[in-house]
PDB file of all heavy atoms in Angstrom:
ATOM      1  N   ASP N  74      51.215  31.761 123.857  1.00 92.00           N
ATOM      2  CA  ASP N  74      50.798  31.235 122.550  1.00 92.00           C
ATOM      3  C   ASP N  74      49.881  30.016 122.648  1.00 92.00           C
ATOM      4  O   ASP N  74      49.704  29.295 121.656  1.00 92.00           O
ATOM      5  CB  ASP N  74      52.017  30.877 121.680  1.00 92.00           C
ATOM      6  CG  ASP N  74      52.773  32.107 121.202  1.00 92.00           C
ATOM      7  OD1 ASP N  74      52.170  33.190 121.207  1.00 92.00           O
ATOM      8  OD2 ASP N  74      53.944  31.990 120.815  1.00 92.00           O
ATOM      9  N   ALA N  75      49.291  29.779 123.822  1.00 93.00           N
ATOM     10  CA  ALA N  75      48.427  28.598 123.981  1.00 93.00           C
ATOM     11  C   ALA N  75      47.302  28.603 122.948  1.00 93.00           C
ATOM     12  O   ALA N  75      46.926  27.546 122.419  1.00 93.00           O
ATOM     13  CB  ALA N  75      47.855  28.554 125.394  1.00 93.00           C
ATOM     14  N   PHE N  76      46.746  29.806 122.649  1.00 94.00           N
ATOM     15  CA  PHE N  76      45.643  29.910 121.690  1.00 94.00           C
ATOM     16  C   PHE N  76      45.999  30.839 120.524  1.00 94.00           C
ATOM     17  O   PHE N  76      45.105  31.407 119.885  1.00 94.00           O
ATOM     18  CB  PHE N  76      44.384  30.417 122.400  1.00 94.00           C
ATOM     19  CG  PHE N  76      43.974  29.560 123.568  1.00 94.00           C
ATOM     20  CD1 PHE N  76      44.234  29.962 124.863  1.00 94.00           C
ATOM     21  CD2 PHE N  76      43.361  28.330 123.355  1.00 94.00           C
ATOM     22  CE1 PHE N  76      43.878  29.165 125.936  1.00 94.00           C
ATOM     23  CE2 PHE N  76      42.997  27.530 124.429  1.00 94.00           C
ATOM     24  CZ  PHE N  76      43.265  27.942 125.722  1.00 94.00           C
ATOM     25  N   ALA N  77      47.280  30.992 120.247  1.00 92.00           N
ATOM     26  CA  ALA N  77      47.705  31.842 119.129  1.00 92.00           C
ATOM     27  C   ALA N  77      47.177  31.279 117.813  1.00 92.00           C
ATOM     28  O   ALA N  77      47.249  30.077 117.568  1.00 92.00           O
ATOM     29  CB  ALA N  77      49.229  31.938 119.083  1.00 92.00           C
ATOM     30  N   GLY N  78      46.621  32.134 116.979  1.00 93.00           N
ATOM     31  CA  GLY N  78      46.137  31.688 115.676  1.00 93.00           C
ATOM     32  C   GLY N  78      44.798  30.982 115.711  1.00 93.00           C
ATOM     33  O   GLY N  78      44.359  30.456 114.686  1.00 93.00           O
ATOM     34  N   CYS N  79      44.137  30.966 116.871  1.00 94.00           N
ATOM     35  CA  CYS N  79      42.797  30.360 116.956  1.00 94.00           C
ATOM     36  C   CYS N  79      41.772  31.413 116.509  1.00 94.00           C
ATOM     37  O   CYS N  79      41.045  32.007 117.327  1.00 94.00           O
ATOM     38  CB  CYS N  79      42.509  29.888 118.387  1.00 94.00           C
ATOM     39  SG  CYS N  79      43.558  28.518 118.924  1.00 94.00           S
ATOM     40  N   LYS N  80      41.695  31.640 115.230  1.00 91.00           N
ATOM     41  CA  LYS N  80      40.922  32.739 114.659  1.00 91.00           C
ATOM     42  C   LYS N  80      39.427  32.629 114.922  1.00 91.00           C
ATOM     43  O   LYS N  80      38.713  33.629 114.969  1.00 91.00           O
ATOM     44  CB  LYS N  80      41.167  32.813 113.155  1.00 91.00           C
ATOM     45  CG  LYS N  80      42.629  33.022 112.776  1.00 91.00           C
ATOM     46  CD  LYS N  80      42.806  33.000 111.271  1.00 91.00           C
ATOM     47  CE  LYS N  80      44.272  33.171 110.887  1.00 91.00           C
ATOM     48  NZ  LYS N  80      44.462  33.115 109.416  1.00 91.00           N
ATOM     49  N   SER N  81      38.928  31.404 115.088  1.00 92.00           N
ATOM     50  CA  SER N  81      37.477  31.203 115.222  1.00 92.00           C
ATOM     51  C   SER N  81      37.015  31.136 116.667  1.00 92.00           C
ATOM     52  O   SER N  81      35.814  30.982 116.931  1.00 92.00           O
ATOM     53  CB  SER N  81      37.064  29.909 114.504  1.00 92.00           C
ATOM     54  OG  SER N  81      37.422  29.951 113.140  1.00 92.00           O
ATOM     55  N   LEU N  82      37.935  31.246 117.610  1.00 93.00           N
ATOM     56  CA  LEU N  82      37.588  31.099 119.022  1.00 93.00           C
ATOM     57  C   LEU N  82      36.603  32.195 119.449  1.00 93.00           C
ATOM     58  O   LEU N  82      36.882  33.381 119.326  1.00 93.00           O
ATOM     59  CB  LEU N  82      38.857  31.169 119.881  1.00 93.00           C
ATOM     60  CG  LEU N  82      38.746  30.638 121.311  1.00 93.00           C
ATOM     61  CD1 LEU N  82      38.355  29.162 121.320  1.00 93.00           C
ATOM     62  CD2 LEU N  82      40.066  30.845 122.049  1.00 93.00           C
ATOM     63  N   LYS N  83      35.428  31.744 119.936  1.00 91.00           N
ATOM     64  CA  LYS N  83      34.379  32.687 120.322  1.00 91.00           C
ATOM     65  C   LYS N  83      34.180  32.733 121.832  1.00 91.00           C
ATOM     66  O   LYS N  83      33.804  33.767 122.377  1.00 91.00           O
ATOM     67  CB  LYS N  83      33.062  32.321 119.643  1.00 91.00           C
ATOM     68  CG  LYS N  83      33.097  32.471 118.129  1.00 91.00           C
ATOM     69  CD  LYS N  83      31.754  32.094 117.512  1.00 91.00           C
ATOM     70  CE  LYS N  83      31.779  32.251 115.997  1.00 91.00           C
ATOM     71  NZ  LYS N  83      30.492  31.865 115.373  1.00 91.00           N
ATOM     72  N   THR N  84      34.370  31.609 122.502  1.00 90.00           N
ATOM     73  CA  THR N  84      34.210  31.577 123.959  1.00 90.00           C
ATOM     74  C   THR N  84      35.367  30.823 124.589  1.00 90.00           C
ATOM     75  O   THR N  84      35.829  29.807 124.068  1.00 90.00           O
ATOM     76  CB  THR N  84      32.889  30.903 124.369  1.00 90.00           C
ATOM     77  OG1 THR N  84      32.841  29.576 123.828  1.00 90.00           O
ATOM     78  CG2 THR N  84      31.709  31.703 123.871  1.00 90.00           C
ATOM     79  N   LEU N  85      35.825  31.357 125.704  1.00 91.00           N
ATOM     80  CA  LEU N  85      36.891  30.724 126.484  1.00 91.00           C
ATOM     81  C   LEU N  85      36.439  30.791 127.934  1.00 91.00           C
ATOM     82  O   LEU N  85      36.537  31.820 128.588  1.00 91.00           O
ATOM     83  CB  LEU N  85      38.217  31.462 126.276  1.00 91.00           C
ATOM     84  CG  LEU N  85      39.433  30.929 127.053  1.00 91.00           C
ATOM     85  CD1 LEU N  85      39.775  29.507 126.614  1.00 91.00           C
ATOM     86  CD2 LEU N  85      40.629  31.840 126.860  1.00 91.00           C
ATOM     87  N   GLU N  86      35.910  29.675 128.418  1.00 90.00           N
ATOM     88  CA  GLU N  86      35.343  29.640 129.768  1.00 90.00           C
ATOM     89  C   GLU N  86      36.428  29.228 130.752  1.00 90.00           C
ATOM     90  O   GLU N  86      36.987  28.135 130.667  1.00 90.00           O
ATOM     91  CB  GLU N  86      34.173  28.662 129.819  1.00 90.00           C
ATOM     92  CG  GLU N  86      33.411  28.696 131.132  1.00 90.00           C
ATOM     93  CD  GLU N  86      32.223  27.750 131.133  1.00 90.00           C
ATOM     94  OE1 GLU N  86      32.039  27.011 130.131  1.00 90.00           O
ATOM     95  OE2 GLU N  86      31.485  27.734 132.128  1.00 90.00           O
ATOM     96  N   ILE N  87      36.737  30.114 131.694  1.00 90.00           N
ATOM     97  CA  ILE N  87      37.778  29.851 132.688  1.00 90.00           C
ATOM     98  C   ILE N  87      37.094  29.686 134.044  1.00 90.00           C
ATOM     99  O   ILE N  87      36.493  30.631 134.576  1.00 90.00           O
ATOM    100  CB  ILE N  87      38.806  31.000 132.713  1.00 90.00           C
ATOM    101  CG1 ILE N  87      39.504  31.100 131.339  1.00 90.00           C
ATOM    102  CG2 ILE N  87      39.830  30.798 133.809  1.00 90.00           C
ATOM    103  CD1 ILE N  87      40.477  32.239 131.219  1.00 90.00           C
ATOM    104  N   LEU N  88      37.190  28.482 134.614  1.00 91.00           N
ATOM    105  CA  LEU N  88      36.452  28.159 135.837  1.00 91.00           C
ATOM    106  C   LEU N  88      37.202  28.536 137.111  1.00 91.00           C
ATOM    107  O   LEU N  88      36.601  28.566 138.182  1.00 91.00           O
ATOM    108  CB  LEU N  88      36.117  26.660 135.852  1.00 91.00           C
ATOM    109  CG  LEU N  88      35.269  26.167 134.673  1.00 91.00           C
ATOM    110  CD1 LEU N  88      34.971  24.681 134.821  1.00 91.00           C
ATOM    111  CD2 LEU N  88      33.972  26.969 134.558  1.00 91.00           C
ATOM    112  N   ASN N  89      38.498  28.824 137.007  1.00 90.00           N
ATOM    113  CA  ASN N  89      39.282  29.216 138.182  1.00 90.00           C
ATOM    114  C   ASN N  89      39.290  30.742 138.274  1.00 90.00           C
ATOM    115  O   ASN N  89      39.958  31.420 137.489  1.00 90.00           O
ATOM    116  CB  ASN N  89      40.716  28.688 138.066  1.00 90.00           C
ATOM    117  CG  ASN N  89      41.573  29.070 139.279  1.00 90.00           C
ATOM    118  OD1 ASN N  89      41.108  29.725 140.207  1.00 90.00           O
ATOM    119  ND2 ASN N  89      42.841  28.673 139.249  1.00 90.00           N
ATOM    120  N   PRO N  90      38.568  31.336 139.222  1.00 85.00           N
ATOM    121  CA  PRO N  90      38.476  32.804 139.293  1.00 85.00           C
ATOM    122  C   PRO N  90      39.784  33.473 139.685  1.00 85.00           C
ATOM    123  O   PRO N  90      39.935  34.687 139.518  1.00 85.00           O
ATOM    124  CB  PRO N  90      37.390  33.030 140.366  1.00 85.00           C
ATOM    125  CG  PRO N  90      37.447  31.801 141.220  1.00 85.00           C
ATOM    126  CD  PRO N  90      37.800  30.668 140.301  1.00 85.00           C
ATOM    127  N   ASP N  91      40.732  32.699 140.230  1.00 86.00           N
ATOM    128  CA  ASP N  91      42.018  33.271 140.656  1.00 86.00           C
ATOM    129  C   ASP N  91      43.095  33.169 139.583  1.00 86.00           C
ATOM    130  O   ASP N  91      44.212  33.653 139.770  1.00 86.00           O
ATOM    131  CB  ASP N  91      42.507  32.553 141.929  1.00 86.00           C
ATOM    132  CG  ASP N  91      41.549  32.755 143.098  1.00 86.00           C
ATOM    133  OD1 ASP N  91      41.005  33.876 143.202  1.00 86.00           O
ATOM    134  OD2 ASP N  91      41.351  31.810 143.882  1.00 86.00           O
ATOM    135  N   LEU N  92      42.794  32.549 138.486  1.00 87.00           N
ATOM    136  CA  LEU N  92      43.788  32.407 137.419  1.00 87.00           C
ATOM    137  C   LEU N  92      44.006  33.771 136.752  1.00 87.00           C
ATOM    138  O   LEU N  92      43.041  34.448 136.394  1.00 87.00           O
ATOM    139  CB  LEU N  92      43.316  31.385 136.391  1.00 87.00           C
ATOM    140  CG  LEU N  92      44.297  30.985 135.284  1.00 87.00           C
ATOM    141  CD1 LEU N  92      44.035  29.558 134.845  1.00 87.00           C
ATOM    142  CD2 LEU N  92      44.177  31.913 134.080  1.00 87.00           C
ATOM    143  N   LYS N  93      45.255  34.177 136.597  1.00 82.00           N
ATOM    144  CA  LYS N  93      45.575  35.444 135.963  1.00 82.00           C
ATOM    145  C   LYS N  93      46.251  35.204 134.613  1.00 82.00           C
ATOM    146  O   LYS N  93      47.163  34.384 134.512  1.00 82.00           O
ATOM    147  CB  LYS N  93      46.500  36.293 136.852  1.00 82.00           C
ATOM    148  CG  LYS N  93      45.846  36.757 138.148  1.00 82.00           C
ATOM    149  CD  LYS N  93      44.655  37.672 137.865  1.00 82.00           C
ATOM    150  CE  LYS N  93      43.997  38.138 139.165  1.00 82.00           C
ATOM    151  NZ  LYS N  93      42.789  38.954 138.909  1.00 82.00           N
ATOM    152  N   ILE N  94      45.763  35.911 133.611  1.00 83.00           N
ATOM    153  CA  ILE N  94      46.354  35.782 132.274  1.00 83.00           C
ATOM    154  C   ILE N  94      47.545  36.728 132.200  1.00 83.00           C
ATOM    155  O   ILE N  94      47.391  37.951 132.145  1.00 83.00           O
ATOM    156  CB  ILE N  94      45.323  36.121 131.183  1.00 83.00           C
ATOM    157  CG1 ILE N  94      44.145  35.146 131.277  1.00 83.00           C
ATOM    158  CG2 ILE N  94      45.951  36.075 129.805  1.00 83.00           C
ATOM    159  CD1 ILE N  94      43.028  35.449 130.305  1.00 83.00           C
TER     160      ILE N  94
END
Side-chain angles (χ1 to χ4, degrees):
D74 290 340
F76 303 103
C79 293
K80 301 177 182 179
S81 302
L82 197 60
K83 294 180 180 179
T84 57
L85 179 63
E86 187 178 4
I87 298 177
L88 301 182
N89 180 0
D91 297 323
L92 187 150
K93 294 297 180 184
I94 299 176

